[in-house]
Amino acid sequence: MLNIQSDSRKIKKGDTFIAVKCEVNDGHAYIEKAIEAGASKVIAERGEYSVPTVIVPDTREYLNKYLEENYNKYLDEMTIIGITGTNGKTTSAYLTYQMLNKLGVKTAYIGTIGFYMDKKIKNLPNTSVDICDTYDLLITAYDNGYKCVVLEASSQALASNRLKIVRFDIAAFTNLTQDHLDFHGNMENYALAKQQLFKMLKGNKVAIVNADDSYKDYYLLEGNNNITFGMNGDYKFSDYKSNINGLSFKLIYNNQEYQVNSKLMGKYNVYNLLTMISIVSNMNYKLDDIVNLIPELSAPAGRIDTIDYKNNKIIIDYAHTPDAIEKILTAVDTDGDKYVVFGCTGDRDRTKRPIMGKLVSELSKYFIITDDDPHNEDEMQIVNDILEGNTFTNYEVCIDRKEAIRRGIKLLKDNDILFILGKGHEEFIIKGNDKIPHNDKEEVLKCIENVK
């Protein structure tokens, strides 16, 4: 455990509190709370306090140097795998985590769905947490004998230097599609933020890149050991087939063919599997062994989470970008109709909302617009953005997400599919400063039980 913290809520008696400025808050505003919680020392850029205080020009630089000098000797003994991309990084990371453990490598996972060692240890507030939390999790893994860690690297964390001093053995890029433009401004900045991961490699500098993505050249950097996957990559696939029960494809590598079968579904999961295969294969594990274990792998919580209801299917998925929505709605065929419950997150990229609305209208018979996480934005503003410029009429608005799910289930008749999109594994709806308990899967199961 670290003895220095940048979050006053995590201070233990005797800890040092460092007042770091981040995208949202300035740590100087929380110094007194940290002292009340037991901080025995403060590192700050200004002020006088009731405990010993060190004033430095830049607390972020001080913290990075402190962590490097005191903890990187442990990280250097570890294999750290970083995965970035708009979509697929959680599934790719979770598949890699599972595969390595099945191959006998004690591996931890840090990312969107939480912190895992042999099981889920705890939830995390963000895909990529602050640098103190990242080091705390890495050292916790190290202390428990997990010398390999798969870590999701978000573009915001990379752009904000929250991962600046972590050195990765392997970096992987899944894809880049529109998202987070409220933060990055444009796709160029978004791509360059993710590029930082590929400048943070050590050792053999293994870079795994989706060769079929139009932004691939941002990540094929000179000096790295670049390995590609996809229809045009080093690890190729062909003969792809998918249905509600799973997928299959042929993997071609070095003129050798391997038959791959998986419980996952959809073409995009072929790419997630190829990401994992490319990573693990380049850790010197045999492709035969990897392929033989793939049928045992499962998707992470909230990713194509499928529930049977009478002779219909209800699919819960985290899809919250135009690309992800299109992929999930076209991944599964049915003899019946497709229905959707979805919303858009507040205080985030507004330009993607009408695109998502148009896609859902075109790819479903009927859909219900509801809350996602409105944060501090007016819910009807979000709805109006989804509707902006569109002329579709196959929808209704139901802000209450629980009620929207109930209405969606009532639409199901015969071999239909209801897609509940946007929140996946999440356990709260965030409105202003309130976190309202809610989990899509739990709500579906309650509704189904009440119908029986």
Side-chain angles (χ1 to χ4, degrees):
M1 299 291 286
L2 302 187
N3 59 7
I4 188 168
Q5 295 290 345
S6 59
D7 187 337
S8 61
R9 297 167 297 184
K10 297 178 180 177
I11 288 290
K12 305 179 298 297
K13 188 173 182 180
D15 281 351
T16 295
F17 178 71
I18 183 162
V20 175
K21 297 175 185 176
C22 63
E23 304 98 278
V24 179
N25 295 312
D26 183 347
H28 291 80
Y30 300 92
I31 289 175
E32 294 300 338
K33 287 186 178 180
I35 294 170
E36 290 173 13
S40 60
K41 185 178 179 181
V42 166
I43 312 295
E45 294 176 10
R46 59 183 184 273
E48 295 181 3
Y49 304 97
S50 59
V51 297
T53 303
V54 177
I55 302 298
V56 298
D58 187 319
T59 48
R60 173 69 70 180
E61 285 189 12
Y62 180 97
L63 176 61
N64 286 344
K65 185 177 180 182
Y66 179 90
L67 293 172
E68 279 188 293
E69 290 177 350
N70 288 275
Y71 296 101
N72 272 23
K73 58 188 176 185
Y74 304 110
L75 270 58
D76 286 343
E77 297 178 29
M78 305 173 76
T79 298
I80 303 177
I81 301 161
I83 301 179
T84 195
T86 306
N87 300 310
K89 60 181 175 292
T90 298
T91 299
S92 297
Y94 190 69
L95 291 171
T96 304
Y97 155 80
Q98 290 178 84
M99 178 59 71
L100 287 170
N101 278 294
K102 288 182 181 297
L103 288 167
V105 184
K106 290 191 71 172
T107 303
Y109 159 88
I110 300 171
T112 304
I113 58 171
F115 174 46
Y116 287 65
M117 287 192 283
D118 59 330
K119 60 183 179 180
K120 185 172 184 176
I121 307 301
K122 63 178 180 179
N123 290 321
L124 300 176
N126 306 104
T127 295
S128 299
V129 293
D130 195 67
I131 192 65
C132 278
D133 294 321
T134 297
Y135 266 69
D136 202 18
L137 296 171
L138 289 170
I139 297 304
T140 298
Y142 178 92
D143 288 343
N144 283 276
Y146 291 80
K147 299 298 176 65
C148 184
V149 177
V150 186
L151 185 152
E152 289 183 51
S154 74
S155 58
Q156 295 100 318
L158 291 162
S160 305
N161 294 322
R162 279 189 262 145
L163 295 171
K164 184 177 180 180
I165 54 172
V166 179
R167 290 292 173 264
F168 295 85
D169 296 88
I170 300 174
F173 166 70
T174 60
N175 55 61
L176 195 80
T177 65
Q178 183 175 342
D179 200 14
H180 306 304
L181 297 191
D182 55 301
F183 182 91
H184 297 290
N186 55 55
M187 292 298 290
E188 171 83 3
N189 291 339
Y190 186 22
L192 289 171
K194 290 187 176 296
Q195 187 188 74
Q196 293 304 309
L197 178 65
F198 295 81
K199 297 179 179 179
M200 300 162 64
L201 289 168
K202 64 178 182 179
N204 292 328
K205 295 189 173 183
V206 176
I208 308 292
V209 178
N210 179 357
D212 297 341
D213 191 88
S214 60
Y215 287 88
K216 63 182 179 298
D217 290 339
Y218 282 85
Y219 312 103
L220 296 169
L221 303 183
E222 187 176 347
N224 287 344
N225 178 15
N226 294 311
I227 295 144
T228 58
F229 63 88
M231 297 184 76
N232 304 299
D234 299 316
Y235 292 81
K236 294 180 174 65
F237 73 95
S238 67
D239 297 343
Y240 155 74
K241 297 175 184 175
S242 179
N243 57 41
I244 197 69
N245 298 311
L247 63 82
S248 65
F249 62 92
K250 284 183 181 176
L251 167 69
I252 305 102
Y253 179 72
N254 277 350
N255 297 316
Q256 296 276 332
E257 283 192 2
Y258 306 82
Q259 181 62 41
V260 177
N261 299 297
S262 170
K263 293 184 289 188
L264 281 65
M265 65 180 83
K267 191 173 184 179
Y268 62 94
N269 272 317
V270 173
Y271 284 86
N272 293 331
L273 285 163
L274 287 173
T275 305
M276 176 276 294
I277 291 167
S278 304
I279 290 169
V280 178
S281 173
N282 281 279
M283 294 174 70
N284 296 320
Y285 291 95
K286 294 178 180 177
L287 276 173
D288 282 321
D289 294 336
I290 296 168
V291 167
N292 287 338
L293 287 168
I294 285 176
E296 300 178 25
L297 305 182
S298 59
R303 272 66 178 175
I304 306 196
D305 209 337
T306 305
I307 299 166
D308 291 322
Y309 173 60
K310 298 180 180 178
N311 64 337
N312 304 292
K313 301 283 185 184
I314 300 171
I315 296 177
I316 297 162
D317 196 86
Y318 190 57
H320 60 280
T321 68
D323 180 68
I325 282 179
E326 182 174 13
K327 284 176 176 173
I328 183 69
L329 293 182
T330 56
V332 188
D333 291 325
T334 176
D335 294 330
D337 294 313
K338 295 180 182 180
Y339 300 94
V340 178
V341 172
F342 93 111
C344 291
T345 308
D347 297 335
R348 300 294 185 271
D349 180 10
R350 293 176 63 183
T351 64
K352 69 179 182 179
R353 294 173 185 171
I355 302 170
M356 292 164 67
K358 186 172 186 290
L359 280 168
V360 171
S361 175
E362 291 173 348
L363 296 173
S364 69
K365 180 178 181 180
Y366 192 81
F367 65 101
I368 302 171
I369 302 172
T370 189
D371 257 356
D372 193 295
D373 288 326
H375 290 283
N376 295 301
E377 191 171 355
D378 179 77
E379 290 149 316
M380 287 311 299
Q381 177 63 62
I382 298 171
V383 172
N384 290 336
D385 284 351
I386 293 170
L387 300 176
E388 184 181 358
N390 288 311
T391 58
F392 47 68
T393 58
N394 58 329
Y395 75 96
E396 65 183 89
V397 176
C398 178
I399 295 297
D400 184 325
R401 194 172 179 96
K402 288 183 172 64
E403 177 61 24
I405 289 171
R406 285 192 285 272
R407 290 192 197 181
I409 292 173
K410 286 180 181 178
L411 294 171
L412 299 174
K413 295 180 181 67
D414 187 28
N415 290 315
D416 295 338
I417 302 177
L418 172 65
F419 296 86
I420 303 171
L421 306 179
K423 294 196 65 64
H425 65 286
E426 293 179 343
E427 297 175 0
F428 298 93
I429 292 174
I430 302 173
K431 292 188 179 184
N433 295 321
D434 297 326
K435 294 176 72 175
I436 302 163
H438 174 89
N439 177 270
D440 283 345
K441 185 172 184 177
E442 288 178 8
E443 196 58 37
V444 167
L445 295 174
K446 284 180 192 174
C447 291
I448 291 174
E449 185 62 35
N450 290 336
V451 170
K452 290 178 181 178

